[in-house]
Amino acid sequence: MAKIAFILLCHKDPEAIVKQAQSLTAVGDCLAIHFDARAPAAAYRQIRSALADNPNVVFPKKRVRCGWGEWSLVQATLSAVEAAVEAFPRATHFYMLSGDCMAIKSAEYAHEFLDRRDVDYIESFDYFKSDWIKTGWKEERLIYRHWFNERTAKAAFYAMFEAQKRLGLTRKIPDDLDIMIGSQWWCLRRCTVERVLGFVRRRRDVVRFFASTWIPDETFFQTLVRHLVPEPEIEGRALTFLLFTDYGMPVVFHNDHYDLLLGQDFLFARKISPHATELRRRLGVLYSSEGARFRDSGEGRTLFEFLTAKGRIGHRFAPRFWETESSLGRERALMIVVCRKWHVAKRLVERIRQVTNLPCIDYLFNEEATPLPDLGGLQSTLGKRHRHRRALVRMLFDYYETDRLIVCLDPANLDLLEDFCRDRAQTRVLEVECEFADSYLVGQAMRMGLAGDRTPPETLRRLLPTIRNDMMHESDRIRDGAFDNLLRIREGDTPDVNADPLARFLGVPHDKAREIAETHHLFAD
């Protein structure tokens, strides 16, 4: 009978990881856990301590700092696979999971399912001929080298791409490989996994190639399996049920999706909401049950497409979902940096990003060119961003898979500030008070079209007090708004004084906040 060694990649929620491990191993299956090295060491120790007496759990010798779209995800997977192959010699199948996955069938059913056919289950479509990539880069993922993370070092990521493109620094794809693409959630036989590991040891040139491609977790195993395994032994599908919205965001399942999930022709599902405690409990009990019978209706995708294609709730002419679903999420924290001097705010959030690794977005409601992920076109114009502001921010939370997000706002956007502060989410506002020299106000007048290169000095002298008063009025309006969580740092205060409101705004220790407040030339023009 099949014996599964699960390869679990995770980065948060140690209590849930422990429960997941206990549930999967209770029926005799095995588990190799890679816990992201970026995550707190205390959380990792908690998992290891809780599972120390479980002989069916193993950890890789080295943890990898993982980043979305990076080779590090493949490296972490390989490390966990190697640990599982060595620790569990009787394992017949190796199944990729994340901390958001849960079984939607019993272990008894899963083992019988895998015993029926001697094949590998992995999505593996032709990279260039298939339409697996719906939007964005295709060939560019492969022929250019990508050394930076697109989410945490966006400027460097795109600067390196543009430099290579301008200089014509493309590279060849390995001649003997047909690049394939598909979901990273696969289930492979032991013989296939051993072939892949052997290939990795022999062909360092191929590893080097994939190590600098973009999003290699969608191409590395998919390509190698097709290269190493005869086609009749590959079933081109994943065994993990997942859905994506029209905006490319993964659909999250909640307590009321239990019956729908059990009706799908899959063994696991992703993503299960961390707040769906009842669904998680019921699915955990299900996996260890015996004698359960399942009727696969397979209506999940069709039902989802039918409901969402209308873009409306309940009735044909009801309001759009983004007009009625107003909450960003009660458990989420939206942190808003408000500053008239955009370059100061950008400098500040870049330093915050470096020190805390929190996702930070520049003036997304003010600058059309602000780098944003593809959210199905909702981000394409400033008009759309303003009109569907909450839907946009919700999708950014989902895209970055985070409960904490920082955005920048111009103080003139008081309507946006009031709207977000009325949300059920935890909204905190940091006003950055700057001093405005006459030279800055002259430049501001030119940017606003109120003055030009030939404007007489006496006209500028009459204009500057008006612009200065307008900026002061914006600050007064924010103070009059009586926002609950309004904090303030000032250009005239010392880093030590500014560190206290920064610490409360970010929820970080005082020493980290001081490190941010001491940013070199933070307020310089």
Side-chain angles (χ1 to χ4, degrees):
M1 177 179 281
K3 183 180 180 69
I4 306 172
F6 293 101
I7 309 301
L8 178 61
L9 265 56
C10 48
H11 64 280
K12 61 182 179 180
D13 202 350
E15 293 86 358
I17 297 303
V18 170
K19 290 180 181 178
Q20 188 179 22
Q22 291 169 339
S23 173
L24 293 174
T25 58
V27 293
D29 287 324
C30 314
L31 186 66
I33 301 176
H34 180 277
F35 194 68
D36 194 341
R38 291 183 186 272
Y44 180 58
R45 289 194 297 270
Q46 180 181 346
I47 295 172
R48 294 211 61 151
S49 175
L51 299 173
D53 297 329
N54 192 328
N56 288 340
V57 176
V58 68
F59 296 85
K61 295 177 182 177
K62 184 178 180 181
R63 294 165 65 203
V64 178
R65 291 173 62 85
C66 295
W68 185 89
E70 292 182 8
W71 169 254
S72 54
L73 287 174
V74 178
Q75 186 179 353
T77 304
L78 287 171
S79 297
V81 167
E82 288 172 347
V85 167
E86 181 179 349
F88 310 124
R90 294 185 179 179
T92 60
H93 294 77
F94 295 77
Y95 196 122
M96 269 284 294
L97 291 176
S98 76
D100 296 319
C101 296
M102 289 204 72
I104 56 174
K105 297 290 189 293
S106 64
E108 181 181 64
Y109 179 97
H111 295 153
E112 291 175 356
F113 180 94
L114 295 176
D115 281 335
R116 289 177 206 158
R117 298 180 61 196
D118 187 23
V119 295
D120 297 305
Y121 293 90
I122 182 170
E123 279 191 357
S124 185
F125 304 107
D126 188 284
Y127 187 91
F128 295 101
K129 296 178 182 178
S130 72
D131 63 346
W132 203 86
I133 299 176
K134 302 296 183 184
T135 59
W137 287 354
K138 197 166 192 176
E139 184 182 41
E140 292 88 345
R141 293 191 189 187
L142 305 176
I143 64 173
Y144 296 107
R145 296 165 180 82
H146 305 279
W147 295 112
F148 297 99
N149 186 289
E150 192 263 349
R151 291 186 175 180
T152 60
K154 189 179 290 289
F157 179 89
Y158 286 105
M160 182 176 177
F161 167 73
E162 291 297 338
Q164 293 178 86
K165 186 177 178 182
R166 187 169 59 253
L167 297 172
L169 299 178
T170 59
R171 58 175 174 175
K172 288 183 62 178
I173 296 170
D175 292 330
D176 58 336
L177 291 182
D178 293 322
I179 304 299
M180 312 299 286
I181 191 168
S183 167
Q184 71 177 109
W185 311 110
W186 39 253
C187 177
L188 304 177
R189 298 167 298 170
R190 185 181 194 91
C191 60
T192 299
V193 165
E194 290 174 343
R195 289 175 189 169
V196 169
L197 294 178
F199 184 90
V200 168
R201 287 190 291 269
R202 293 192 311 272
R203 294 292 302 274
R204 304 307 298 174
D205 60 315
V206 172
V207 173
R208 285 192 297 272
F209 170 78
F210 278 103
S212 57
T213 60
W214 190 41
I215 321 182
D217 52 297
E218 294 179 349
T219 55
F220 181 76
F221 287 96
Q222 296 78 359
T223 299
L224 265 57
V225 169
R226 282 284 176 185
H227 182 73
L228 298 169
V229 177
E231 186 172 351
E233 297 179 27
I234 300 173
E235 180 68 30
R237 57 163 292 198
L239 296 180
T240 298
F241 178 62
L242 66 163
L243 294 172
F244 287 92
T245 69
D246 291 341
Y247 301 106
M249 299 293 108
V251 174
V252 178
F253 298 108
H254 298 276
N255 289 333
D256 55 351
H257 289 128
Y258 180 80
D259 292 328
L260 181 143
L261 292 176
L262 263 60
Q264 308 314 308
D265 186 20
F266 296 86
L267 303 184
F268 282 76
R270 185 179 187 273
K271 292 179 154 187
I272 308 299
S273 169
H275 308 298
T277 53
E278 178 62 15
L279 176 61
R280 286 178 171 269
R281 184 194 66 78
R282 295 177 72 183
L283 292 178
V285 171
L286 174 70
Y287 191 68
S288 58
S289 65
E290 295 182 0
R293 293 292 175 262
F294 302 92
R295 300 180 65 180
D296 295 333
S297 59
E299 84 295 340
R301 295 185 193 281
T302 306
L303 179 61
F304 177 77
E305 289 170 3
F306 173 77
L307 293 173
T308 57
K310 296 183 180 301
R312 303 173 184 271
I313 298 174
H315 304 285
R316 181 174 176 82
F317 298 105
R320 295 287 184 180
F321 79 90
W322 49 73
E323 294 169 347
T324 57
E325 175 47 70
S326 60
S327 177
L328 303 178
R330 192 181 298 276
E331 304 300 321
R332 287 170 167 171
L334 177 64
M335 292 168 277
I336 304 174
V337 175
V338 179
C339 184
R340 162 56 74 178
K341 291 186 177 181
W342 295 2
H343 58 280
V344 174
K346 291 178 182 180
R347 208 175 286 147
L348 176 65
V349 298
E350 178 58 29
R351 187 60 179 150
I352 290 172
R353 187 185 293 116
Q354 293 170 358
V355 174
T356 67
N357 205 32
L358 287 171
C360 304
I361 311 292
D362 292 341
Y363 287 83
L364 72 166
F365 295 107
N366 304 102
E367 287 187 300
E368 192 123 2
T370 297
L372 291 171
D374 187 349
L375 302 175
L378 199 62
Q379 82 296 340
S380 59
T381 67
L382 287 177
K384 286 185 177 181
R385 296 179 203 173
H386 278 258
R387 195 158 55 249
H388 310 307
R389 61 194 69 167
R390 294 200 184 189
L392 176 71
V393 174
R394 277 202 308 275
M395 286 189 287
L396 287 170
F397 273 110
D398 291 337
Y399 178 84
Y400 288 106
E401 297 183 349
T402 184
D403 290 326
R404 302 173 71 205
L405 180 70
I406 297 175
V407 300
C408 296
L409 274 185
D410 189 281
N413 296 128
L414 187 64
D415 58 330
L416 295 179
L417 193 59
E418 290 174 335
D419 189 17
F420 287 128
C421 287
R422 285 195 301 265
D423 193 88
R424 293 199 299 267
Q426 305 166 35
T427 306
R428 295 197 287 272
V429 180
L430 180 71
E431 184 183 9
V432 183
E433 265 191 20
C434 300
E435 297 172 0
F436 301 107
D438 285 354
S439 58
Y440 174 82
L441 294 178
V442 169
Q444 182 68 9
M446 292 182 175
R447 287 188 289 272
M448 295 169 66
L450 301 177
D453 294 335
R454 299 182 181 179
T455 302
E458 57 270 26
T459 303
L460 283 174
R461 280 197 297 270
R462 290 195 301 268
L463 189 59
L464 294 189
T466 303
I467 298 175
R468 191 186 303 275
N469 289 336
D470 184 62
M471 292 182 176
M472 292 176 63
H473 178 61
E474 288 175 345
S475 182
D476 288 339
R477 290 174 66 204
I478 292 173
R479 296 182 188 186
D480 293 340
F483 300 115
D484 290 338
N485 298 303
L486 175 61
L487 299 155
R488 189 173 289 105
I489 64 173
R490 297 179 174 88
E491 181 174 351
D493 288 341
T494 65
D496 200 53
V497 172
N498 284 334
D500 183 61
L502 267 173
R504 285 184 285 156
F505 174 71
L506 296 170
V508 298
H510 190 274
D511 58 336
K512 277 199 171 186
R514 182 180 174 84
E515 183 180 350
I516 296 168
E518 290 176 337
T519 300
H520 194 49
H521 296 315
L522 175 60
F523 292 94
D525 289 330

